[in-house]
Amino acid sequence: MLYPYKFTPNLVERVWGGNALEHYGKSVPPGKRIGESWEISDRDDVQSVISNGPDKGKTLRQQIEAHGVQLLGTNYSSGTGVPPVTPSSGAGVPPANNIRFPLLIKLLDCRERLSLQVHPPAALAAKFKGEPKAEMWYVLEADPDAHLMAGFRRGVNAADFMRTLEGAKDSKAIIDYIYRFQALPGDTFFVPAGRIHAIDAGVVLVEIQQNSDTTYRVFDWGRVGLDGKPRQLHIRESLVCIDFKDYEPKKQRPIVEQKGVNGLWRLVECEHFHVHRLDLTNAWPDRTDGSTFHILTCISGALGLVTPDGKEDRLNVGEFILLPAALGFYTLTPLAENTRALKSYVPGRV
């Protein structure tokens, strides 16, 4: 029987991480720099494990193998461009049906600036034996001087950037080329494949992306990794993948739809995922109709969930839950003031 699934977070130490995810219910080990909490993951090396209900202890991949379209929905099987599982490290075996979960969901604590990086478009990812990735960020908190970096300042040309990158000995020479803007709580930003980007220090955010772990580092600000050695750069791959005509991209401008006293904000709607924000003052009836799963993320307040069989669940800030495509009707209720949630799903193809 399918039901809403919660998962045990996978905490990942990063040289740029910190301990801010403790505020979102994560058990950060003392002295560790936890940069990422992988909340829903179907990767060979990071498998989400169910933490609730009768299937507790099973992996997300096992549930996909067992339930297929009932879990993922018909949008998946109608050409969403989700790549099949291909074992990359010997750490996993592809499921019998050769499909995997289409999204990867994370929380990020960026205590220091992330590397300047790019993710490859589909055609170039295949060339470099990587995976394509588009992603979006929803900012949960940001220091007063925190910024996001994405795209180029207007007037920058590829030749000048490449020459500067080749001889760069300090950060300022590179930063001068990259468009940079203040990060504020509640900001939403979309990062398509090919967009050069970095997250500055002092930001905590939700990251929703294609199921890909391919990142090409362009510049790492002269630092060393957790092992004391410089982290690998991917200059050749990066320069091929970067969109050098991507000038001064803007934050998303959400479209709001009032639903009585509640509000639905359309944050990002791309071919790979749709992400909406729900502002809840009263009960919110919704349903999965068989076409796609829903992922709910509590980003403020506290969220109640009632399923078709009358069972109740609760999501606190920083918690995620996966509602299978075949679940049917459900109701969300605010359990605290200023309750907000993100709802993510895979769209159909027109």
Side-chain angles (χ1 to χ4, degrees):
M1 177 180 175
L2 293 168
Y3 61 94
Y5 298 119
K6 291 183 175 180
F7 300 93
T8 302
N10 287 281
L11 303 183
V12 183
E13 191 170 17
R14 301 295 190 200
V15 68
W16 41 263
N19 60 8
L21 296 188
E22 290 178 338
H23 309 152
Y24 299 87
K26 313 308 169 187
S27 299
V28 176
K32 295 291 186 180
R33 302 181 192 178
I34 300 301
E36 299 180 357
S37 177
W38 291 36
E39 298 289 334
I40 301 180
S41 170
D42 178 19
R43 306 288 303 171
D44 290 338
D45 52 348
V46 182
Q47 270 293 306
S48 287
V49 176
I50 295 170
S51 62
N52 67 322
D55 291 325
K56 181 177 180 179
K58 293 182 180 179
T59 66
L60 176 56
R61 186 169 295 177
Q62 286 174 322
Q63 294 303 94
I64 293 172
E65 287 182 315
H67 301 289
V69 71
Q70 287 187 304
L71 175 59
L72 297 171
T74 55
N75 286 355
Y76 181 100
S77 59
S78 63
T80 55
V82 181
V85 173
T86 53
S88 56
S89 61
V93 177
N97 52 16
N98 200 37
I99 58 176
R100 67 180 184 194
F101 199 72
L103 303 180
L104 176 57
I105 314 293
K106 303 177 184 177
L107 281 174
L108 270 61
D109 173 18
C110 312
R111 290 304 90 196
E112 296 181 11
R113 179 185 293 157
L114 275 65
S115 64
L116 188 63
Q117 58 190 245
V118 68
H119 307 304
L124 295 172
K127 175 181 178 181
F128 293 122
K129 299 183 179 179
E131 299 167 304
K133 186 202 292 189
E135 65 188 29
M136 66 83 70
W137 305 327
Y138 184 87
V139 177
L140 297 174
E141 57 182 83
D143 291 349
D145 59 347
H147 289 75
L148 302 176
M149 305 169 67
F152 293 98
R153 293 182 183 275
R154 199 163 298 281
V156 167
N157 64 67
D160 287 345
F161 177 76
M162 288 189 282
R163 277 195 297 269
T164 302
L165 183 64
E166 185 178 359
K169 292 184 171 60
D170 60 68
S171 301
K172 187 178 185 308
I174 297 299
I175 287 178
D176 285 346
Y177 285 93
I178 308 302
Y179 188 56
R180 190 166 176 256
F181 47 91
Q182 187 176 14
L184 299 171
D187 279 350
T188 304
F189 195 75
F190 180 57
V191 183
R195 172 167 288 170
I196 194 169
H197 63 277
I199 303 168
D200 229 338
V203 177
V204 177
L205 55 79
V206 178
E207 183 175 86
I208 297 168
Q209 58 173 83
Q210 288 179 268
N211 187 348
S212 165
D213 198 26
T214 299
T215 295
Y216 298 140
R217 291 192 195 102
V218 184
F219 192 71
D220 204 23
W221 320 112
R223 69 176 156 207
V224 296
L226 292 169
D227 60 359
K229 301 176 182 178
R231 297 198 298 170
Q232 182 182 2
L233 299 180
H234 312 88
I235 303 298
R236 181 177 69 92
E237 297 91 339
S238 296
L239 294 179
V240 174
C241 292
I242 291 171
D243 178 1
F244 283 99
K245 297 187 181 300
D246 183 19
Y247 295 119
E248 301 188 3
K250 305 301 181 186
K251 300 175 186 179
Q252 296 296 114
R253 304 183 76 174
I255 300 170
V256 64
E257 296 180 7
Q258 290 299 130
K259 304 275 188 176
V261 294
N262 297 318
L264 181 150
W265 296 77
R266 299 180 181 275
L267 303 182
V268 173
E269 294 185 341
C270 70
E271 63 178 313
H272 307 293
F273 47 78
H274 285 191
V275 181
H276 300 161
R277 192 184 81 202
L278 308 178
D279 294 359
L280 301 180
T281 302
N282 209 334
W284 176 279
D286 209 333
R287 68 188 287 247
T288 56
D289 61 3
S291 64
T292 182
F293 57 84
H294 291 172
I295 295 171
L296 300 174
T297 311
C298 183
I299 55 174
S300 67
L303 187 66
L305 169 67
V306 180
T307 53
D309 57 4
K311 292 183 178 178
E312 299 182 17
D313 216 325
R314 177 188 176 105
L315 289 183
N316 295 314
V317 173
E319 292 189 314
F320 297 70
I321 198 164
L322 170 62
L323 309 184
L327 182 70
F329 288 95
Y330 63 89
T331 302
L332 303 178
T333 54
L335 303 180
E337 291 186 5
N338 193 33
T339 293
R340 290 178 171 177
L342 299 182
K343 171 184 164 182
S344 310
Y345 60 93
V346 170
R349 290 296 178 101
V350 177

